[in-house]
């Protein structure tokens, strides 16, 4: 596999960035980590080796192409350099869909997140706040969920600003499905980001893991 695809595959089998094995392999780099998996190094648990062998990178790349998504790795022009502050818990790679990567990497993004079951007042305040932030030229980052997240994305879109949705599933998977149209608007005007490969459905741990990306991508977080 090319190193770019290898990085994305490593991210899909090592989804917990705080895992000691994942951090150790990060320090070794993509090429060495890939070799560890390919050669079934004794340090790699059998469960992870099985997942590695079951991967279908060609199909993942096909799905990405169908969704007009791409793999972005550290060092790429589109890579958000603020993620490097995560050190060994930095993503191996990101899947991106949309055209807002350049703005996200050079502007001071602000995260606006909150409850899924929020009041109409909370929704209105989140949308107005996001609209003001985006109107000043700062990207708005959130998680694409019901409630405050969706309000923040819509507020940024309303002012023609850039907004980024960090998902716990593949960039081609609309979750929640009720936000299908919203995700399309975000992709048109901003960016959809995920560590999970195309086609991946969300898991409970993935929601927790993606929060570090929302925080790291942003220079400030409003909860």
């Amino acid at each position: 596999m090319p190193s770019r695809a290898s990085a994305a595959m490593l991210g899909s089998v090592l989804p917990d960035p705080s895992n000691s094995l994942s951090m150790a392999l990060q320090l070794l780099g993509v090429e060495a980590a890939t070799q560890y998996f390919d050669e079934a190094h004794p340090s790699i648990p059998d469960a992870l080796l099985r997942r590695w062998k079951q991967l279908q990178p060609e199909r993942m790349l096909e799905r990405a192409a169908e969704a007009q998504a791409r793999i972005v790795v550290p060092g790429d022009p589109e890579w958000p350099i603020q993620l490097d502050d995560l050190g060994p818990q930095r993503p191996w790679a990101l899947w991106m869909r949309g055209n807002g990567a350049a703005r996200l990497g050079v502007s001071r993004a602000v995260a606006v997140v909150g409850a899924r079951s929020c009041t109409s007042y909370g929704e209105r305040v989140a949308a107005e706040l996001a609209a003001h932030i985006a109107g000043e030229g700062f990207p708005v980052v959130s998680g694409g969920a019901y409630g405050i997240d969706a309000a923040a994305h819509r507020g940024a879109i309303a002012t023609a600003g850039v907004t980024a949705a960090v998902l716990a599933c593949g960039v081609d998977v609309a979750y929640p499905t009720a936000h299908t149209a919203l995700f399309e608007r975000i992709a048109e005007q901003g960016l959809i980001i995920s560590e999970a490969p195309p086609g991946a459905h969300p898991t409970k741990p993935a929601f927790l893991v993606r929060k570090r990306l929302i925080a790291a991508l942003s220079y400030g977080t409003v909860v």
Side-chain angles (χ1 to χ4, degrees):
M1 291 184 292
S3 60
R4 185 176 300 276
S6 297
M9 299 312 112
L10 287 166
S12 70
V13 297
L14 296 165
D16 181 0
S18 64
N19 179 276
S20 58
L21 174 62
S22 178
M23 290 193 288
L25 291 175
Q26 273 273 16
L27 295 174
L28 291 175
V30 173
E31 186 176 340
T34 301
Q35 188 173 356
Y36 268 46
F37 275 93
D38 286 342
E39 297 178 357
H41 192 276
S43 65
I44 308 296
D46 289 342
L48 292 183
L49 288 174
R50 285 195 296 272
R51 289 182 61 184
W52 181 260
K53 292 176 181 177
Q54 291 168 358
L55 288 176
Q56 297 179 303
E58 294 81 8
R59 178 55 186 146
M60 290 181 185
L61 292 172
E62 287 174 4
R63 291 193 66 137
E66 291 166 2
Q68 296 185 312
R70 68 272 188 197
I71 301 170
V72 178
V73 298
D76 282 350
E78 288 189 307
W79 180 260
I81 59 173
Q82 56 267 45
L83 292 182
D84 295 341
D85 291 340
L86 291 171
Q89 295 192 37
R90 178 180 73 175
W92 289 93
L94 293 174
W95 298 86
M96 289 187 176
R97 183 160 73 96
N99 301 309
R103 283 284 302 280
L104 186 64
V106 300
S107 302
R108 292 182 176 273
V110 177
V112 179
V113 296
R116 288 172 171 78
S117 298
C118 63
T119 63
S120 58
Y121 171 75
E123 218 169 33
R124 186 173 70 254
V125 169
E128 291 176 353
L129 177 63
H132 179 72
I133 293 169
E136 292 294 319
F138 303 110
V140 173
V141 180
S142 199
Y146 287 120
I148 298 300
D149 286 16
H153 291 306
R154 291 188 177 108
I157 288 170
T159 57
V162 171
T163 184
V166 183
L167 305 185
C169 54
V171 295
D172 61 335
V173 176
Y175 186 88
T177 55
H179 286 174
T180 299
L182 175 61
F183 291 137
E184 290 305 315
R185 289 290 306 281
I186 293 172
E188 290 172 6
Q189 199 163 307
L191 194 65
I192 296 178
I193 302 171
S194 181
E195 289 181 86
H201 291 277
T203 62
K204 286 184 178 179
F207 283 105
L208 297 175
V209 168
R210 65 94 181 258
K211 288 182 179 179
R212 89 189 193 290
L213 295 186
I214 294 176
L217 285 167
S218 311
Y219 286 85
T221 301
V222 180
V223 181

